[in-house]
């Protein structure tokens, strides 16, 4: 007896997902985390360090920084950038965990410039 692998007409096609839907779901599941996540803002020109170990993603800007420098200057950063906290961040960019914030990128950049160089490059807020 020969068994056919061809499907016969179904009476209710709404219950079965079509092939395109199955393929799209499979492709979406296969995307690496960087591609599956929303895009981070533009890299800040002077606050993107190749040797940094954490990426802060704010609205409109992203910063690749050193968690140790940030923790040294701020108890808040010390708490949110502990080794355990960084290990729990799933999203990665440029090999580093990404910490997303709702802060405005340009404002966060001024704070970070104060931390990194005493604010010598900060533009005064009027």
């Amino acid at each position: 007896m020969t068994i056919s692998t061809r499907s016969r007409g179904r009476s209710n096609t709404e219950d079965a997902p079509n092939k395109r839907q199955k393929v799209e779901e499979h492709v979406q599941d296969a995307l690496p985390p960087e591609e599956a996540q929303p895009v981070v803002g533009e890299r800040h020109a002077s606050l993107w360090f190749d040797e940094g170990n954490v990426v802060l993603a704010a609205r409109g800007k992203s910063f690749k920084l050193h968690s140790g420098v940030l923790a040294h200057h701020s108890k808040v950063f010390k708490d949110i950038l502990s080794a355990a906290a960084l290990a729990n961040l799933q999203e990665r960019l440029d090999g580093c965990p990404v910490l997303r914030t709702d802060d405005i990128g340009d404002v966060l950049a001024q704070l970070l410039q104060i931390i990194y160089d005493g604010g010598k490059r900060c533009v005064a807020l009027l």
Side-chain angles (χ1 to χ4, degrees), residues 19-40:
K19 286 182 183 180
R20 175 180 239 167
Q21 183 181 7
K22 284 182 183 179
V23 169
E24 287 172 356
E25 288 172 0
H26 178 71
V27 169
Q28 184 64 25
D29 291 341
L31 288 176
E34 291 95 33
E35 294 179 32
Q37 295 294 326
V39 176
V40 298

Side-chain angles (χ1 to χ4, degrees), residues 17-105:
N18 63 35
K19 286 182 183 180
R20 175 180 239 167
Q21 183 181 7
K22 284 182 183 179
V23 169
E24 287 172 356
E25 288 172 0
H26 178 71
V27 169
Q28 184 64 25
D29 291 341
L31 288 176
E34 291 95 33
E35 294 179 32
Q37 295 294 326
V39 176
V40 298
E42 172 188 350
R43 293 178 178 191
H44 191 277
S46 63
L47 291 167
W48 187 272
F49 299 98
D50 290 336
E51 72 281 2
N53 68 334
V54 65
V55 174
L56 292 183
R59 288 190 286 165
K61 296 277 185 209
S62 60
F63 312 89
K64 187 173 179 186
L65 306 165
H66 312 90
S67 61
V69 171
L70 299 173
H72 177 74
H73 291 283
S74 166
K75 179 167 177 14
V76 173
F77 279 128
K78 185 176 184 175
D79 292 342
I80 63 175
L81 296 175
S82 68
L86 289 177
N88 287 331
L89 294 174
Q90 299 299 314
E91 185 178 2
R92 302 273 177 204
L93 178 66
D94 210 22
C96 299
V98 175
L99 177 64
R100 290 186 175 268
T101 177
D102 288 332
D103 295 311
I104 298 169

